[in-house]
Amino acid sequence: QVQLVESGGGLVQTGGSLRLSCAASGRTRSASYMGWFRQAPGKEGEFVATMIWSSGITFYADSVKGRFTISRDKDKNTVYLQMSSLKPEDTAVYYCAARDTSFEAYKYWGQGTQVTVSS
């Protein structure tokens, strides 16, 4: 099992920045892929960004490309999501997730952290 704990959400004005953190513990070898997803009120959850832990290769949703950056600290088993140029449509609960391979769904999830961008 992998435990994921997010932190860093909050309220920010349009154009502002926030950094989310996700600390992994437990069987972290099963967290070969770590990613961020979000769900806005009344909407389906959507992919935001992901990183292959070993190589650092990253992928982003088109809606956040150029504004958000996913990064990691291997020593701390922590993945970050640096969010800049925030827009009201970025308002959502952000979830950290992990999976072992690209052939399976993300099966480890954090509790979520609220990000609210005011206009």
Side-chain angles (χ1 to χ4, degrees):
Q1 289 287 339
V2 178
Q3 292 77 45
L4 303 172
V5 178
E6 302 105 330
S7 60
L11 174 64
V12 65
Q13 291 185 333
T14 296
S17 299
L18 277 176
R19 189 178 79 157
L20 306 182
S21 301
C22 173
S25 61
R27 198 167 179 268
T28 55
R29 287 185 176 182
S30 294
S32 299
Y33 292 75
M34 292 191 71
W36 291 94
F37 293 77
R38 67 186 182 186
Q39 186 166 23
K43 295 186 177 181
E44 293 185 357
E46 64 172 344
F47 164 77
V48 175
T50 192
M51 169 180 282
I52 302 174
W53 189 259
S54 59
S55 65
I57 294 174
T58 58
F59 303 90
Y60 295 92
D62 288 342
S63 58
V64 306
K65 203 171 293 183
R67 300 188 299 122
F68 291 10
T69 302
I70 187 171
S71 63
R72 73 190 189 292
D73 184 325
K74 284 188 170 183
D75 292 336
K76 295 181 179 179
N77 285 327
T78 297
V79 66
Y80 304 97
L81 185 68
Q82 178 67 48
M83 305 183 293
S84 302
S85 302
L86 283 162
K87 307 174 183 179
E89 50 264 43
D90 295 318
T91 295
V93 177
Y94 284 70
Y95 296 91
C96 177
R99 63 181 178 179
D100 195 15
T101 73
S102 61
F103 302 105
E104 61 184 16
Y106 284 86
K107 59 183 179 182
Y108 304 108
W109 293 84
Q111 81 285 359
T113 185
Q114 177 71 46
V115 172
T116 303
V117 184
S118 62
S119 56

